[in-house]
Structures are given as structure tokens and as C-alpha cells.
Amino acid sequence: QVQLVESGGGLVQAGGSLRLSCAASGRASWYAMAWFRQAPGKAREFVALIRLSSHNTDYADSVKGRFTISRDNAKNTVYLQMNSLKPEDTAVYYCAAQITPKITYASTSSYDAWGQGTQVTVSS
């Protein structure tokens, strides 16, 4: 059974940092893994993606230069390092995984598995 488990969320002051982790199990390989987030009353939005074989990454414009996605293939874990956090980064952050490449990586429908989410709260 495929399982994605996020950890690392919490409460941080504006300007601070957090590192989220997503541990994957139940499948030997994935094409790509990504982070999305969902703030109260808003749609789930794409944050960052990493292609596991090429190391290529993509980011939402709102987080470029502040967030970094990385992976440890030996641990089947993907990370999201979040620096210079802003109150508008407050959301539940979800890990997602693709088995095969999709054209629209920023769409939630392009992903085959999801984690349960971890809350990130940035205070002003």
C-alpha cells in the first residue's frame, strides 16, 4: 500500500525557517514528488516539484528564492526547506507523488498519491 507521510510542520515567526519531510513507502520508484499547500477557504496550490531521476525542480513564483525542494532517494524522502517565511505561507502542506510524467505538474489531478498534510503557521 502506497503511503506518504509528512512531518516538520509547526508554528514559526515571520522571517523564520522550517523543513518539511515526506517519507514514501509501498512503491519502489516514482517519477516525481511535489509539495502543495492549502490555506483556509482557498484551493490547493502547487508549491514545488522535483523529478527524482534528473533532479530537475520547479517552483511556484510565490516561493522562488525562499523554498528549496530536495530528495534523498536512499531514504525515499523528499524535503521542503522553507526560509524567509511570511504569514501568507500559512497553510496545510501536502506531499504528492507521480508514478509517470504528466504535462501539467501544477495540477492536483496529475498526482497518484497524497499525504495527510502538515500544518505550517507563520505569525506576524
Side-chain angles (χ1 to χ4, degrees), residues 5 19 22 24 40 47 49 57 59 67 71 74 79-81 84 86 92 95 113 115 117:
V5 179
R19 189 177 81 155
C22 173
V47 174
L49 171 140
T57 58
Y59 293 93
F67 291 10
R71 91 285 181 269
Y79 304 97
L80 185 68
Q81 178 66 43
S84 302
K86 304 175 182 179
V92 177
C95 176

Side-chain angles (χ1 to χ4, degrees), residues 31-97:
Y31 170 73
M33 295 184 72
W35 289 94
F36 283 72
R37 66 187 182 185
Q38 188 167 19
K42 295 188 177 181
R44 194 169 297 189
E45 65 174 3
F46 170 78
V47 174
L49 171 140
I50 185 165
R51 297 169 182 85
L52 300 185
S53 59
S54 67
H55 303 203
N56 288 348
T57 58
D58 286 287
Y59 293 93
D61 288 343
S62 59
V63 306
K64 280 181 182 176
R66 300 188 298 123
F67 291 10
T68 302
I69 189 170
S70 62
R71 91 285 181 269
D72 183 334
N73 286 350
K75 295 182 179 180
N76 287 328
T77 300
V78 172
Y79 304 97
L80 185 68
Q81 178 66 43
M82 305 185 294
N83 298 330
S84 302
L85 282 161
K86 304 175 182 179
E88 51 264 44
D89 294 318
T90 295
V92 177
Y93 283 70
Y94 296 90
C95 176

